[in-house]
Amino acid sequence: QAVLTQPPSVSAAPGQRVTISCSGSSSNIGNNFVSWYQQVPGTAPKLLIYDNDKRQSGTPDRFSGSRSGTSATLGITGLQTGDEADYYCGTWDTSQNIRLFGGGTRLTVL
Amino acid sequence: EVKLVESGGGLIQPGGSLRLSCAASGFTVSRNYMSWVRQAPGKGLEWVSVIYGDGSTYYAESVKGRFTISRDGSQNTLYLQMDNLRAEDTAMYYCVKDGIAATFDYWGQGTLVTVSS
């Protein structure tokens, strides 16, 4: 059971917008930066967003990140079939000095 | 160009040991945070261990006391010594360049560890 909670799956039609939530606590998301990763099945994860809302070089501006309190959100606009993948949030726990991942969200573009 | 290449995975019996290696290029391992992250078949990502630039190390509870992270500056290589392996350690193991804000910006292609009799 992952410490950070994400919905197992989300889906939307091409061209639409989708959001993926990541819920934590004051010892992790509430006091630390959040990152988001995209993993196409069979490949290594790739960093999309870091420091809550900064796009990694090469990440399209259709992807955005935000953090509020103990939750974070990844937004994707103008959905494309190529966006179908698993998405993970990540941060670290201040009190235990450990890194954390969410359970992952499978995005399906219908 | 940053590159991470893992090696050392394979099939091992429960209770056995294995050492994973991660050869880095394009940056200096000893000056950066480096982590190991694993992914069991069909499951999500699980952080395993980190080594800081000052040499401090931290572990997930699931591997504490059994796994040891280390590095060799002269070889620019990261290691993960895995002892007393269990079936639940079966996973793809990724070497990852980490950061102060736990940002995993570069990932290797992974090396598969299978623990089975």
Side-chain angles (χ1 to χ4, degrees):
Chain A
Q1 188 79 5
V3 173
L4 306 180
T5 302
Q6 296 181 235
S9 63
V10 296
S11 61
Q16 295 298 303
R17 177 179 183 267
V18 71
T19 61
I20 298 172
S21 60
C22 176
S23 178
S25 69
S26 58
S27 66
N28 44 67
I29 291 178
N31 281 287
N32 294 300
F33 287 122
V34 176
S35 303
W36 289 92
Y37 305 87
Q38 177 192 60
Q39 185 181 32
V40 174
T43 70
K46 178 177 74 171
L47 175 65
L48 287 177
I49 301 286
Y50 66 98
D51 290 359
N52 301 331
D53 57 9
K54 296 180 175 59
R55 279 185 291 275
Q56 175 70 339
S57 174
T59 298
D61 58 9
R62 301 185 296 105
F63 292 83
S64 64
S66 65
R67 184 191 72 172
S68 177
T70 58
S71 294
T73 302
L74 174 69
I76 312 172
T77 60
L79 276 172
Q80 302 175 0
T81 55
D83 296 332
E84 284 201 334
D86 296 319
Y87 292 85
Y88 295 89
C89 60
T91 187
W92 66 297
D93 187 292
T94 310
S95 62
Q96 301 180 64
N97 246 319
I98 60 174
R99 274 82 170 112
L100 301 169
F101 285 106
T105 299
R106 172 67 58 91
L107 169 64
T108 302
V109 181
L110 303 168
Chain B
E1 178 197 7
V2 171
K3 195 171 183 184
L4 298 165
V5 179
E6 302 96 334
S7 60
L11 175 62
I12 186 78
Q13 290 190 339
S17 296
L18 213 54
R19 189 179 82 156
L20 306 183
S21 300
C22 171
S25 58
F27 72 102
T28 303
V29 165
S30 60
R31 293 182 192 161
N32 285 272
Y33 291 23
M34 295 293 296
S35 273
W36 288 96
V37 173
R38 69 184 181 183
Q39 186 171 35
K43 303 296 184 182
L45 302 175
E46 179 188 16
W47 172 80
V48 173
S49 180
V50 63
I51 184 167
Y52 288 176
D54 67 1
S56 303
T57 58
Y58 299 92
Y59 300 89
E61 278 299 323
S62 58
V63 306
K64 198 175 290 185
R66 300 187 299 122
F67 289 12
T68 304
I69 191 171
S70 64
R71 65 193 179 199
D72 183 334
S74 65
Q75 299 292 319
N76 209 34
T77 298
L78 179 74
Y79 300 100
L80 185 68
Q81 176 67 41
M82 304 185 295
D83 298 320
N84 191 20
L85 282 161
R86 307 167 179 167
E88 54 264 36
D89 296 319
T90 294
M92 182 72 78
Y93 284 75
Y94 295 101
C95 167
V96 191
K97 180 175 170 290
D98 196 337
I100 293 175
T103 297
F104 301 119
D105 54 358
Y106 291 95
W107 297 67
Q109 84 289 349
T111 186
L112 182 62
V113 172
T114 303
V115 184
S116 174
S117 55

